[in-house]
Amino acid sequence: MLVSLCSLAQTGGIKGHVTNETEDPLESIHISIKGTTRGAMTNASGEFFLSGLAAEKYQLVVSGVGYQAIERSATVTDNAILTLELTLRETAQQLQTVEIIGRRETTYKNDQSFIASKTATPLKEVPQAVAYVTKELIRDQAAFTVGDVVKNMSGVNQFTFYDDLTIRGFRMNGGSTTQLFNGLRTFSGFWKQPPVNYLERVEVVKGAASALYGNTSPGGTINRVTKKPLTTPQKSLQFTTGSFNTLRALADFTGPMNEEKTLLYRINVGYVNAQSFRNLQFDKNIVIAPSVSFLPTSRTRINFDLVYNKSNSRLDRGQSVAGNDLYSSSIATSLNAINDYLNEETYLITTSFNHQLGNNTAINLAYLRTGYTENLLEHRSSNVNAIDSAGRAIDNLVARQVFVRQTKSFMDNVSLFLNHNFATGRVEHKFVAGYDYIQSSTPKGSGQQTANGYLLKAGGATAYNPKTPERYVFYNYTAPNGIVRSIPKPNVPSYDLALQNNQLEDPTKYTYNVVANASTTPVMYQLHGLYLQEQAKFDRLQLLLGLRYDTYVDKKGYTTNNETNVIQHALLPRIGAVYTLTNNVNIYGTYTKGYNPQDATVQSDPLSGGPFDPIESSLTEAGLKTEWFNGRLTANLAVYNIIQRNTLYSANAADNPNLMRQIGQEQAKGVEVDATGSILPNWNIIVAYSYNDAKITDGGVRAADQVLVNLQKPNAPKQQGSFWTKYTFVSPMLNGLGLGLGGNFVTERNLSLNNAQTIPGYTLLNAAVYYKIDKFQFQVNLNNLANKTYWVGGYDYLRLFPGAPRNFMATVSYVF
């Protein structure tokens, strides 16, 4: 910085010249005096002038769209002009539309979000709640799946064991609801929560993200952000063993592949072989996730990412209990046979191209291909108890059925963005225009066979009719009290909760029916989305305006001679504002509309009772976003109100499990509080709390469904919260030692839409010990210290999903 003094007749001032790193003059750069409303803009020559300044010391803030802001001290003396030469650096992240540059932070706190606005916007300037968990917290808690980490987020709760959550009371599952992967549309196989070893963080945009991503859940949208290549070499190995015969090995290598650092790589590999506290359950997982970045010029970046996951396991349909007694069976109870299996393969291939056309304009083209294959044999509950000759339920016997299924599903997402930053006077603008094309398909070639019902004397099997018992085969059943009675013989042996009859079964002995299952019916839908977004910043006020127009095409009768296009359109606005009250406190508000065409597999299912109207929603939200301890800690508050119409729920029809009912209206309103970051550099903390009143407010057109009004939505606790803290000692005596402590609580929840069946709330306590020696770290995590019996979710008392009892994980890490 070059400083010179020039004489001035009466008043002092500051003039200057602003350039970039190649000494080109920068126009429309804002120079402001910190703590005042005084400021100036640079002209086409990069020059500015602030006049009429009193003789004193000033702090100047120099900022411009696409450049890293800087601060400079400037002392004005009487009758003199201070001349400054200032240089700003471009920030590549400012022009990103998806996350392509590796995150270098190493704390629980994340500063920027790309999915909330498709620009590199600081989280405190996003007019919507965004929750996240970074890889550092994932490591400290020895977490391996998305389900392990969501307990750290306010308003997010498990619905089942699967990739199946509620966010603000609205169900979001990976099989049928929008998920994002590096900001692009994807799905999961539903039965397994995705692993997190290759992720930089897991984040949730609360409320509908429809103005940018189209049909999304009104509760929130999950985005999985992968680890990206770094320019500095880093390598780590991690080995974990512990309860339930767990063995886990992880590796993470990254760095440049040439001297010019124009070719970067990263590869994450994971292997897991673990049993479970649940009978007969196991999981063998192989995850391979390579990533390559090519930088042919300083303005161009090409990324390639692959995630391949192969999983062998059994499908766990949950715990069944006798009658209404939750404690009548062990939480280890599962209804599988020994020879059941679930074999899955999932791949996600991403290619992205980012090019800066100038200092303020960038174009981004990205493509994501998702593929999923499932091969399944399972013995599972029929969702009802076995019956006697009069058709009465036998509490101790659970009726079973068998599924044999093979299926494949695919999704393609092409996303094109133009990102342009500019200024008009003192107003800074970030403008985004984009187009999405999404195609999802289950092609011909999938199929399912089902065995259920009761054996007929004439051969075959069907549902039991107590009016014609003479048609059925009977056998002698010995009840737990020793009484022997004759009852209908099932096609698939019932599960006796007293005997725990998990055994090797012979599936060839059953009578099967080929069924039109929703997950195997050929399905194809396409989505075309056009959207515009403007972010305008004027001093303390920031406005966000977004509008998206979607065309949704469902190919009804796909692959048949009667294939027709069912076309729906949606116009989705978003309005948000952020106002900076102080340097530490921002206040925000937002309104957005959302929609979701009913799941294509349900719409195509002739047994579902459709066709059904699309889901429509609206979100109103306001809150505070604050920073403390020199920006190390964020503390946020959100108050929200969500309205959704036309949601589908199971009709719980014993004779047709595929039958659905459409509810008129639901409402979720509540409060969320989150704090994340560091109190001291060696003291990390994350705290979350939510109150969520999520109810049915209109049962719909059927008078019988009005009894649902004012029922709390399924698996949506009214209150939940969590905390986790890690303290690392810095004194010479305890150097290298760290302690972790955390817990989470969830209040009582309803199951399905039946207020008579509930699962109790619970409070868990967890702890960890860390010890670091040079490049090695030893870590022990202790979970559920009080060995509480609890349930994370469920459908009913025949399909409950218990949480793990007391357990430990021991980890050794090596960084080199």
Side-chain angles (χ1 to χ4, degrees):
M1 180 174 66
L2 177 64
V3 181
S4 66
L5 294 177
C6 302
S7 61
L8 183 68
Q10 294 181 351
T11 58
I14 302 173
K15 71 176 182 179
H17 184 226
V18 183
T19 61
N20 61 17
E21 292 177 288
T22 58
E23 297 185 354
D24 299 318
L26 295 180
E27 185 179 6
S28 299
I29 299 299
H30 188 212
I31 296 87
S32 62
I33 299 176
K34 194 171 183 178
T36 75
T37 59
R38 291 289 306 275
M41 298 286 290
T42 58
N43 59 22
S45 301
E47 298 171 342
F48 70 91
F49 182 54
L50 288 164
S51 62
L53 300 179
E56 61 179 273
K57 186 175 182 179
Y58 297 94
Q59 192 73 8
L60 301 183
V61 178
V62 185
S63 63
V65 178
Y67 294 90
Q68 296 178 7
I70 62 173
E71 292 191 14
R72 288 289 185 270
S73 297
T75 301
V76 175
T77 57
D78 289 331
N79 300 321
I81 293 177
L82 182 66
T83 302
L84 304 177
E85 289 288 343
L86 302 170
T87 300
L88 295 185
R89 290 184 177 183
E90 292 184 34
T91 170
Q93 288 191 339
Q94 285 296 112
L95 294 176
Q96 286 181 240
T97 51
V98 293
E99 190 153 357
I100 57 175
I101 296 175
R103 174 179 171 270
R104 294 172 175 81
E105 292 85 353
T106 58
T107 68
Y108 292 178
K109 182 173 175 283
N110 180 56
D111 291 321
Q112 290 194 344
S113 171
F114 294 88
I115 62 163
S117 62
K118 291 203 173 180
T119 60
T121 302
L123 283 169
K124 65 181 181 180
E125 297 179 4
V126 174
Q128 206 160 338
V130 179
Y132 61 85
V133 171
T134 65
K135 66 180 185 296
E136 287 75 25
L137 181 60
I138 291 171
R139 176 201 62 206
D140 288 348
Q141 293 185 346
F144 186 71
T145 67
V146 169
D148 294 332
V149 304
V150 296
K151 64 178 181 285
N152 298 288
M153 300 178 180
S154 63
V156 185
N157 187 68
Q158 285 187 242
F159 201 101
T160 61
F161 287 147
Y162 316 131
D163 190 13
D164 190 14
L165 308 170
T166 58
I167 304 176
R168 291 181 170 177
F170 294 90
R171 191 175 181 187
M172 197 234 68
N173 67 69
S176 61
T177 313
T178 300
Q179 287 192 10
L180 299 178
F181 183 79
N182 290 326
L184 298 169
R185 293 280 288 269
T186 187
F187 68 97
S188 76
F190 179 66
W191 305 122
K192 292 294 179 63
Q193 298 168 359
V196 294
N197 66 294
Y198 56 88
L199 297 183
E200 181 64 51
R201 66 182 179 276
V202 178
E203 57 189 4
V204 175
V205 175
K206 305 289 189 66
S210 46
L212 286 176
Y213 300 102
N215 54 313
T216 60
S217 168
T221 302
I222 287 186
N223 184 40
R224 288 177 282 151
V225 181
T226 57
K227 297 174 181 176
K228 298 296 187 296
L230 301 177
T231 55
T232 55
Q234 295 181 20
K235 300 178 179 66
S236 69
L237 297 173
Q238 188 180 102
F239 300 93
T240 300
T241 187
S243 299
F244 321 128
N245 298 313
T246 297
L247 172 64
R248 187 186 304 161
L250 308 176
D252 181 3
F253 295 170
T254 187
M257 299 173 67
N258 59 6
E259 292 184 3
E260 296 79 12
K261 297 184 178 181
T262 58
L263 193 61
L264 312 175
Y265 84 98
R266 190 158 193 164
I267 183 166
N268 279 264
V269 178
Y271 171 75
V272 175
N273 189 343
Q275 303 295 305
S276 170
F277 70 97
R278 305 267 300 140
N279 292 337
L280 299 185
Q281 301 307 317
F282 71 93
D283 189 23
K284 292 182 179 179
N285 245 300
I286 296 176
V287 183
I288 303 173
S291 179
V292 176
S293 294
F294 176 49
L295 291 76
T297 73
S298 61
R299 293 179 176 268
T300 305
R301 190 181 189 105
I302 301 170
N303 275 25
F304 171 81
D305 298 271
L306 167 67
V307 176
Y308 172 78
N309 184 197
K310 182 176 182 179
S311 171
N312 302 112
S313 63
R314 291 191 181 98
L315 179 50
D316 188 351
R317 292 285 187 166
Q319 173 196 6
S320 296
V321 300
N324 290 317
D325 185 358
L326 282 173
Y327 303 93
S328 61
S329 71
S330 166
I331 60 172
T333 301
S334 71
L335 276 58
N336 289 100
I338 295 172
N339 47 326
D340 287 351
Y341 56 81
L342 171 61
N343 299 326
E344 299 174 289
E345 284 189 338
T346 304
Y347 66 82
L348 300 101
I349 302 176
T350 310
T351 304
S352 62
F353 168 81
N354 179 272
H355 178 67
Q356 294 186 29
L357 301 174
N359 293 337
N360 297 317
T361 306
I363 189 169
N364 190 301
L365 177 64
Y367 169 69
L368 171 61
R369 168 77 166 181
T370 304
Y372 171 75
T373 302
E374 174 190 307
N375 187 11
L376 170 72
L377 166 64
E378 65 162 335
H379 287 70
R380 54 158 294 182
S381 156
S382 291
N383 310 335
V384 294
N385 287 95
I387 55 177
D388 63 13
S389 58
R392 295 169 300 199
I394 303 173
D395 281 352
N396 211 58
L397 282 185
V398 181
R400 285 198 300 182
Q401 57 187 328
V402 166
F403 286 174
V404 180
R405 181 166 65 235
Q406 293 187 5
T407 185
K408 294 183 179 181
S409 298
F410 304 94
M411 178 176 281
D412 298 275
N413 183 190
V414 178
S415 190
L416 176 65
F417 306 86
L418 178 70
N419 196 310
H420 180 60
N421 300 340
F422 62 98
T424 54
R426 294 177 60 184
V427 182
E428 297 178 5
H429 302 267
K430 292 182 179 182
F431 178 75
V432 178
Y435 167 74
D436 283 337
Y437 172 75
I438 297 157
Q439 177 176 290
S440 180
S441 66
T442 299
K444 230 175 175 42
S446 299
Q448 175 172 309
Q449 290 182 320
T450 300
N452 53 25
Y454 292 86
L455 295 176
L456 295 166
K457 290 179 180 179
T462 188
Y464 181 73
N465 184 350
K467 295 180 180 180
T468 57
E470 67 278 2
R471 299 176 57 215
Y472 298 87
V473 177
F474 282 74
Y475 79 108
N476 291 329
Y477 164 67
T478 303
N481 58 9
I483 296 176
V484 179
R485 55 179 173 163
S486 183
I487 66 173
K489 187 173 184 178
N491 184 16
V492 178
S494 300
Y495 189 86
D496 193 325
L497 292 172
L499 297 178
Q500 299 278 305
N501 55 311
N502 300 100
Q503 59 194 31
L504 193 67
E505 302 284 3
D506 185 357
T508 63
K509 293 181 178 179
Y510 308 143
T511 297
Y512 289 92
N513 296 311
V514 177
V515 297
N517 182 270
S519 62
T520 60
T521 302
V523 168
M524 165 77 80
Y525 75 79
Q526 298 169 333
L527 180 68
H528 301 267
L530 290 167
Y531 61 89
L532 301 173
Q533 179 181 272
E534 156 75 340
Q535 289 173 269
K537 182 176 181 180
F538 178 75
D539 291 335
R540 296 175 179 268
L541 178 65
Q542 300 182 61
L543 297 177
L544 186 151
L545 303 174
L547 187 65
R548 180 182 176 108
Y549 181 74
D550 268 6
T551 300
Y552 182 92
V553 182
D554 180 9
K555 294 189 176 295
K556 191 173 180 64
Y558 178 56
T559 73
T560 71
N561 293 331
N562 299 319
E563 180 179 313
T564 57
N565 289 340
V566 178
I567 301 175
Q568 300 177 59
H569 302 281
L571 190 64
L572 304 167
R574 181 188 187 192
I575 302 171
V578 179
Y579 184 77
T580 302
L581 293 176
T582 70
N583 290 336
N584 295 334
V585 180
N586 285 1
I587 186 171
Y588 75 91
T590 192
Y591 173 80
T592 185
K593 293 184 68 175
Y595 91 110
N596 237 326
Q598 300 294 353
D599 185 79
T601 57
V602 176
Q603 291 279 56
S604 300
D605 185 354
L607 302 178
S608 67
F612 300 102
D613 294 332
I615 298 170
E616 298 175 345
S617 66
S618 63
L619 164 74
T620 305
E621 179 179 314
L624 296 171
K625 298 193 175 186
T626 68
E627 288 187 340
W628 309 98
F629 303 109
N630 294 319
R632 293 195 304 268
L633 181 76
T634 61
N636 303 326
L637 168 71
V639 180
Y640 61 86
N641 182 46
I642 301 172
I643 302 292
Q644 177 166 281
R645 300 173 183 84
N646 302 327
T647 310
L648 287 185
Y649 286 93
S650 172
N652 294 320
D655 59 341
N656 181 11
N658 291 5
L659 186 63
M660 306 297 288
R661 67 171 81 171
Q662 191 157 36
I663 301 303
Q665 182 174 290
E666 304 165 294
Q667 181 179 32
K669 51 186 178 181
V671 179
E672 295 170 343
V673 179
D674 297 271
T676 306
S678 305
I679 296 175
L680 297 172
N682 59 319
W683 185 7
N684 296 322
I685 190 170
I686 181 168
V687 178
Y689 168 79
S690 66
Y691 173 83
N692 181 41
D693 186 20
K695 293 180 177 179
I696 309 294
T697 54
D698 179 5
V701 296
R702 294 196 338 165
D705 289 337
Q706 295 305 320
V707 298
L708 304 174
V709 172
N710 290 325
L711 289 185
Q712 186 78 0
K713 294 185 63 184
N715 289 298
K718 277 203 170 181
Q719 296 187 71
Q720 67 184 104
S722 66
F723 80 96
W724 177 266
T725 183
K726 178 187 177 184
Y727 185 83
T728 303
F729 293 91
V730 293
S731 64
M733 291 286 292
L734 299 174
N735 188 36
L737 179 65
L739 298 176
L741 182 67
N744 63 289
F745 80 92
V746 173
T747 57
E748 182 182 71
R749 285 141 292 152
N750 293 332
L751 299 179
S752 299
L753 287 180
N754 185 345
N755 198 36
Q757 288 192 331
T758 63
I759 48 178
Y762 60 87
T763 300
L764 304 180
L765 190 64
N766 309 311
V769 179
Y770 313 88
Y771 190 66
K772 188 173 183 179
I773 304 176
D774 194 19
K775 297 181 179 180
F776 286 93
Q777 177 170 286
F778 303 89
Q779 172 180 338
V780 177
N781 290 82
L782 305 169
N783 302 310
N784 193 3
L785 291 174
N787 202 28
K788 291 286 186 69
T789 298
Y790 67 103
W791 291 268
V792 299
Y795 298 112
D796 49 45
Y797 282 3
L798 295 179
R799 294 171 293 173
L800 293 165
F801 298 91
R806 182 189 296 123
N807 64 88
F808 81 95
M809 294 290 158
T811 303
V812 178
S813 303
Y814 178 61
V815 178
F816 58 102

